[in-house]
């Protein structure tokens, strides 16, 4: 408990000092809100319109969760296939690396045209594709990078490939999976949010940030940014909690 | 006391084993050249020799983890492949190779699980083995909570799980400090005495080889081959064994064999000259 407190305090103190300095700077220098609103203005908007914030976060968060779920499932299945068939791995991995350089988000307008204007689906698809890469790459690595001596041990015990997968490869890949999820979960929020800039339903965080800024409601635009950060943080913390619970051996020194 | 396989009077029979890596290529290595070795049931054999002389390769051929280029290995009267399928040997490596996601007890249970033992039978057997290596109190711990020596004891317990007649051990104490190592050696001898198993034990330590073994197989590299086999007769080991003259005599004999000046060979050469 003590250790955890000690780990929590420094960032909190730094955040408070940072916000105080920010507030001071805006007030003393009389900086205009369209350049940089003060923390008090942003937080005033955030708590003042909390239900708006919450609903927008709920909409974008739902998109993110759907994309995250589908992207994770597809990533896991592809990783299992890639591990099982070495050739596939040699084909998919460069392909995945190549695709990762494509600005997927930029495909949103095209996808928007393929679905109805009120549809959430294009954003879910975009989020899913973006989530797919880190999951696929990391989990494949986890399935393949098993200690050779552990593989020999399994063979000496006459384990079938299916048993090796279940008892060795998959548990070995779990820390890799959570490492990927810690990237993918906040990333899914960003992807869902940014994809909203390209049209479609207007109730999400991304749309609200854009429309508030367009209406010169800078305090509120920033309040939505705060809501976005909190949403991403919640995603991250959920992954962290699940990891602690499901894979307590991760991050430990490997036994020799 | 001695556990004998019903179908065979030899624990291990290696016949004319060759292992050539990268055959026909520039980096061709003859890791094993015409290895012939018979291990009697209940016998403790050490393999010793400089790095790269093929000790691990020989062990891996016997374990059917790799195929010999020529020749064959038999374990308990059956082919190495069949012996592996029937789990007629247990294996321990320099690394404990425990699974971090399993408790100590469930690590020991792993071979039993693969053989389809029931949960309660597995647990009972694992506890019996953990008591044997004096780690019963750590059954529910995770591997990373154990010291290197304790992890190695867990690995040894695991290799004994299905009660195989043969143990193949590749430098299992290589990473341990001298004190722990000597304790582990005594423990291994006690286990072997209790269970009557045959052991093939790879080591770089001459005293370790002499202390543990009935016979020390001396190997030499490029090409990897057996150059000498030193018989050790020290009787029952105890605290005084390591200081006994007979112990030093055997250590010297192995050391000279490693240098290529075998006493027997030298004598033969002299006979030839006369
Ligand atoms: N998979 C492999 N491919 C190519 N060469 C190999 C392979 N495995 C072993 N060798 C070679 O075979 C020779 C014997 O190797 P081995 O590991 O059996 O030696 P060792 O006696 O166990 O050495 P050490 O004491 O260092 O463990 C070495 O020259 C090694 O380079
Ligand atoms: Mg070796």
């Amino acid at each position: 408990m003590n250790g955890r407190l000690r780990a929590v305090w420094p960032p909190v103190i730094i955040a408070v000092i940072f916000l105080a300095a920010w507030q001071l700077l805006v007030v003393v220098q009389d900086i205009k809100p369209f350049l940089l609103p003060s923390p008090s203005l942003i937080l005033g908007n955030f708590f003042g319109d909390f239900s708006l914030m919450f609903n927008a976060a709920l909409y974008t968060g739902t998109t993110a969760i759907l994309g995250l779920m589908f992207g994770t499932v597809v990533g896991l299945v592809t990783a299992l296939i890639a591990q099982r068939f070495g050739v596939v791995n040699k084909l998919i991995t460069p392909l995945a690396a190549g695709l990762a350089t494509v600005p997927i988000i930029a495909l949103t307008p095209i996808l928007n045209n393929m679905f109805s204007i009120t549809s959430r689906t294009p954003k879910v698809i975009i989020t899913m594709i973006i989530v797919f890469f880190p999951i696929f790459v990391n989990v494949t690595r986890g399935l393949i990078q098993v200690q050779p001596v552990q593989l020999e041990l399994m063979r000496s015990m006459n384990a079938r490939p299916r048993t090796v997968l279940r008892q060795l490869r998959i548990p070995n890949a779990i820390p890799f999976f959570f490492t990927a999820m810690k990237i993918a979960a906040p990333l899914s929020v960003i992807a869902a949010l940014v994809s909203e800039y390209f049209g479609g339903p207007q109730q999400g965080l991304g749309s609200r940030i854009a429309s508030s800024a367009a209406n010169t409601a800078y305090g509120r635009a920033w309040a939505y940014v705060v809501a976005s950060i909190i949403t991403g943080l919640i995603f991250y913390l959920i992954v962290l909690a699940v990891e602690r619970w499901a894979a307590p051996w991760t991050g430990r020194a490997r036994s020799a | 006391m001695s556990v004998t396989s019903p179908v065979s009077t030899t624990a291990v029979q290696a016949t004319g084993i060759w292992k050539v890596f990268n055959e026909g290529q520039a980096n061709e290595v003859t890791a094993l050249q015409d290895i012939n070795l018979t291990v009697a049931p209940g016998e403790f054999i050490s393999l010793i020799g400089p790095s790269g002389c093929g000790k691990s390769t020989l062990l891996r051929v016997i374990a059917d983890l790799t195929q010999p280029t020529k020749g064959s290995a038999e374990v308990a009267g059956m082919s190495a492949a069949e012996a592996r399928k029937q789990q007629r040997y247990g294996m321990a490596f320099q690394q404990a190779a425990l699974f971090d996601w399993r408790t100590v007890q469930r690590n020991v249970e792993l071979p039993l699980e693969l053989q389809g033992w029931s949960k309660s039978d597995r647990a009972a057997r694992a506890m019996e083995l953990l008591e044997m290596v004096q780690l019963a109190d750590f059954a529910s711990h995770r591997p990373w909570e154990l010291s290197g020596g304790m992890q190695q004891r867990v690995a040894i317990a695991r290799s004994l799980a299905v009660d195989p007649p043969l143990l193949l051990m590749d430098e299992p104490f290589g990473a341990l400090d001298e004190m722990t190592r000597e304790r582990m050696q005594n423990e291994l001898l006690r286990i072997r005495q209790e269970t009557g198993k045959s052991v093939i034990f790879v080591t770089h330590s001459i005293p370790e080889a002499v202390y543990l073994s009935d016979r020390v197989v001396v190997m030499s590299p490029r090409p990897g081959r057996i150059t000498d086999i030193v018989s050790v007769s020290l009787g029952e080991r105890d605290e005084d064994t390591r200081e006994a003259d007979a112990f030093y005599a055997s250590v010297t004999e192995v050391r000279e064999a490693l240098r290529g000046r075998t006493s027997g060979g030298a004598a033969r050469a002299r006979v030839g000259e006369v």
Side-chain angles (χ1 to χ4, degrees):
Chain A
M1 195 59 220
N2 224 340
R4 212 176 284 176
L5 271 183
R6 228 174 292 147
V8 163
W9 276 117
V12 168
I13 290 168
I14 287 172
V16 168
I17 291 173
F18 176 76
L19 288 176
W22 178 354
Q23 181 79 25
L24 205 67
L25 182 79
V26 170
V27 171
V28 171
Q29 295 286 325
D30 193 24
I31 296 174
K32 295 286 170 288
F34 66 86
L35 277 178
L36 184 67
S38 66
S40 62
L41 179 65
I42 296 170
L43 292 178
N45 268 285
F46 181 81
F47 290 109
D49 289 329
F50 187 76
S51 68
L52 283 181
M53 302 289 144
F54 183 80
N55 287 332
L58 198 63
Y59 180 83
T60 304
T62 306
T63 310
I65 282 187
L66 290 172
L68 186 62
M69 270 174 12
F70 290 128
T72 302
V73 169
V74 175
L76 289 177
V77 171
T78 320
L80 283 170
I81 295 170
Q83 185 278 317
R84 179 68 183 76
F85 306 100
V87 194
V88 178
N89 186 28
K90 284 192 194 98
L91 287 174
I92 294 183
T93 308
L95 198 70
L99 272 178
T101 64
V102 176
I104 307 288
I105 291 268
L107 298 177
T108 317
I110 302 168
L111 283 174
N112 275 338
N113 288 339
M114 293 161 66
F115 294 88
S116 92
I117 189 71
T118 55
S119 173
R120 192 201 289 274
T121 313
K123 298 172 183 60
V124 173
I125 293 174
I126 295 293
T127 307
M128 179 181 120
I129 297 172
I130 286 173
V131 162
F132 166 82
F133 292 109
I135 301 287
F136 166 70
V137 171
N138 274 281
V139 173
T140 306
R141 194 177 298 155
L143 291 171
I144 291 173
Q145 283 181 4
V146 177
Q147 284 181 43
V149 64
Q150 293 181 332
L151 275 179
E152 293 216 314
L153 177 79
M154 290 303 270
R155 184 172 154 81
S156 81
M157 296 185 300
N158 196 31
R160 284 169 303 172
R162 195 150 41 93
T163 313
V164 175
L165 182 68
R166 212 180 49 234
Q167 300 291 359
L168 177 53
R169 292 191 188 279
I170 289 177
N172 189 67
I174 287 176
F176 290 76
F177 169 70
F178 279 110
T179 303
M181 279 305 269
K182 277 182 265 181
I183 299 167
L187 193 61
S188 72
V189 176
I190 295 172
L193 186 151
V194 175
S195 69
E196 290 171 10
Y197 289 138
F198 296 89
Q202 290 300 300
Q203 62 263 54
L205 289 165
S207 315
R208 292 302 167 109
I209 292 169
S211 62
S212 301
N215 294 329
T216 68
Y218 298 106
R220 182 183 292 172
W222 279 80
Y224 279 118
V225 172
V226 170
S228 311
I229 294 170
I230 291 171
T231 309
L233 212 57
I234 290 172
F235 273 55
Y236 180 79
L237 291 175
I238 289 173
V239 172
L240 217 58
V242 174
E243 180 184 29
R244 288 269 160 85
W245 170 77
W249 68 88
T250 58
R252 300 293 178 156
R254 271 200 165 279
S255 57
Chain B
M1 187 64 225
S2 86
V3 172
T4 326
S5 159
V7 287
S8 174
T9 50
T10 62
V12 176
Q13 175 80 56
T15 317
I17 290 179
W18 288 68
K19 179 71 186 183
V20 182
F21 288 107
N22 310 316
E23 207 167 359
Q25 293 170 40
N27 55 350
E28 181 178 296
V29 180
T30 304
L32 296 174
Q33 173 185 284
D34 194 29
I35 301 292
N36 293 286
L37 181 67
T38 306
V39 180
E43 195 177 19
F44 200 120
I45 294 276
S46 284
L47 305 181
I48 196 166
S51 191
C53 71
K55 306 178 293 291
S56 298
T57 306
L58 178 55
L59 213 61
R60 295 176 72 252
V61 167
I62 293 168
D64 187 44
L65 297 177
T66 186
Q67 299 299 313
T69 311
K70 239 182 358 193
S72 67
E74 277 183 8
V75 174
M78 55 189 101
S79 72
E82 191 53 38
R84 179 176 64 80
K85 291 201 180 89
Q86 295 190 19
Q87 298 209 5
R88 301 310 300 264
Y89 69 81
M91 193 144 188
F93 305 87
Q94 180 165 10
Q95 299 156 284
L98 302 178
F99 290 179
D100 280 340
W101 48 89
R102 285 172 167 256
T103 61
V104 164
Q105 180 185 334
R106 294 209 57 233
N107 265 284
V108 176
E109 285 180 20
L110 181 64
L112 307 172
E113 221 173 297
L114 297 195
Q115 280 206 342
W117 285 41
S118 79
K119 200 175 155 91
S120 57
D121 287 353
R122 270 183 350 231
R125 174 72 179 146
M127 283 318 291
E128 192 183 313
L129 289 158
L130 285 173
E131 253 149 45
M132 187 187 270
V133 296
Q134 289 155 18
L135 283 176
D137 293 344
F138 292 86
S140 56
H141 284 237
R142 296 280 176 165
W144 70 75
E145 297 169 328
L146 271 53
S147 73
M150 291 156 91
Q151 289 179 16
Q152 206 50 260
R153 268 142 72 193
V154 177
I156 290 171
R158 180 182 58 193
S159 73
L160 293 164
V162 298
D163 199 19
L166 173 67
L167 287 184
L168 302 174
M169 311 182 89
D170 196 347
E171 299 185 48
F173 307 151
L176 305 182
D177 67 86
E178 196 60 29
M179 300 296 289
T180 313
R181 202 168 168 145
E182 291 191 357
R183 238 194 16 248
M184 298 282 292
Q185 290 167 5
N186 287 329
E187 220 163 314
L188 177 60
L189 283 182
R190 176 178 59 77
I191 289 168
R192 182 246 184 169
Q193 196 130 45
E194 283 173 17
T195 58
K197 295 186 190 310
S198 322
V199 186
I200 302 185
F201 187 96
V202 173
T203 177
H204 278 132
S205 158
I206 300 172
E208 180 169 80
V210 168
Y211 186 72
L212 292 173
S213 312
D214 299 317
R215 285 190 295 155
V216 180
V217 174
V218 180
M219 298 179 68
S220 122
R222 284 176 299 276
R225 62 201 186 278
I226 296 177
T227 49
D228 208 341
I229 297 181
V230 175
S231 291
V232 181
S233 35
L234 296 174
E236 189 94 1
R237 269 57 163 184
D238 54 34
E239 298 100 86
D240 301 327
T241 306
R242 291 181 211 272
E243 272 135 42
D245 288 341
F247 179 75
Y248 285 119
S250 291
V251 166
T252 307
E253 200 181 340
V254 172
R255 183 169 290 129
E256 305 230 307
L258 276 166
R259 287 188 190 134
R261 286 191 280 126
T262 73
S263 46
R268 268 194 299 279
R270 245 174 278 128
V271 170
E273 278 164 19
V274 172

